[in-house]
Amino acid sequence: MKTLLKCTAAALMAFGTVASGAIAPAMAQTVQGIGIADQRRAVVESAAFVNANTARPTTYKAQYDAAQAKSNQLRQQLEPLVTKFNTDVQAPNAQANQAALQQQLGQIQQLREQGSQEVQEILQPVALSEAYVLEQISDKFDAAVRSAMQKRKVSVVFEVGSTLAHNDAYDLTKDITTELNAAIPTAQLVPPQGWLPRAQREQQARQAAANGAAAPAAAPAAPAAQLPEGR
């Protein structure tokens, strides 16, 4: 019986060794047909995006300079107010002057919000340029992904953020960027007059459709036909 147990134990150990040796190479190999990609990195590393970011400070220099000047002006306005507020908060009678302190704080917050809004309005053309370039690239993104998938013989691509861990062999990000560079090497930097991002255009279209559907219901009813009077 002891001899039999020893033989069985030896056989199991040998099987474990063979199994481990067979499994290890298989785990090291990649599974065909699956890929992952970082959509954001594929776009921001594309030539169209990089070139647009390089040219934008020159094209929109007036807006950048005006925004910087406004920010400097806002800082000069806020600094004495903030200094006074901090001093008054530390004063011995601060507890009794809560109403005055709240008024000062409200003035600071209002001035800061107003200034931030003015800076955003100055930079609105810049924001539109960024959205316009991104939309041009995004219009080519789906075809770029499919082309990269075809060349790498991949049938499923996951966003990199949805994976816990992965082998770099699965990464198609650079392949997608290469396809984007071929499809759109440069993007138009300045949008046409009156251009709006796709989300706003779609929202306007939905609103127009809703208004159009409500119009017949709001139209006045036609007057009822009168029966001819009998003689």
Side-chain angles (χ1 to χ4, degrees), residues 106-125:
Q107 181 183 5
I108 292 172
Q109 291 176 340
Q110 181 180 2
L111 185 60
R112 181 176 296 163
E113 292 173 0
Q114 180 180 353
S116 177
Q117 183 177 356
E118 291 177 359
V119 170
Q120 290 180 6
E121 290 176 356
I122 294 172
L123 292 176
Q124 182 64 19

Side-chain angles (χ1 to χ4, degrees), residues 146-218:
R146 295 186 181 280
S147 180
M149 291 173 63
Q150 183 178 9
K151 291 179 180 179
R152 288 281 297 270
K153 296 180 172 56
V154 169
S155 56
V156 178
V157 178
F158 296 97
E159 173 63 31
V160 65
S162 64
T163 61
L164 182 62
H166 63 270
N167 190 313
D168 289 341
Y170 292 103
D171 197 343
L172 270 69
T173 303
K174 291 184 178 180
D175 301 78
I176 296 172
T177 300
T178 299
E179 298 300 326
L180 283 174
N181 292 343
I184 177 171
T186 59
Q188 186 175 344
L189 186 63
V190 181
Q193 185 69 27
W195 180 87
L196 293 174
R198 179 178 288 112
Q200 295 184 34
R201 298 197 306 269
E202 292 176 349
Q203 182 180 2
Q204 289 183 352
R206 287 192 299 269
Q207 187 64 41
N211 292 340

Side-chain angles (χ1 to χ4, degrees), residues 80-99:
L81 297 177
V82 172
T83 300
K84 184 178 185 306
F85 175 79
N86 291 334
T87 301
D88 292 347
V89 167
Q90 300 298 327
N93 62 341
Q95 192 65 30
N97 292 333
Q98 287 298 307

Side-chain angles (χ1 to χ4, degrees), residues 19-97:
S20 299
I23 292 174
M27 292 181 65
Q29 295 177 359
T30 58
V31 179
Q32 297 298 320
I34 298 177
I36 60 100
D38 187 333
Q39 178 176 347
R40 179 185 177 280
R41 186 160 63 88
V43 170
V44 300
E45 291 181 359
S46 67
F49 187 89
V50 173
N51 293 337
N53 278 0
T54 301
R56 191 173 289 111
T58 301
T59 304
Y60 291 94
K61 184 177 185 304
Q63 285 79 9
Y64 281 115
D65 290 347
Q68 185 62 54
K70 187 63 183 179
S71 297
N72 294 338
Q73 179 185 0
L74 178 63
R75 187 180 303 108
Q76 293 174 359
Q77 291 176 320
L78 286 173
E79 283 180 354
L81 297 177
V82 172
T83 300
K84 184 178 185 306
F85 175 79
N86 291 334
T87 301
D88 292 347
V89 167
Q90 300 298 327
N93 62 341
Q95 192 65 30
N97 292 333

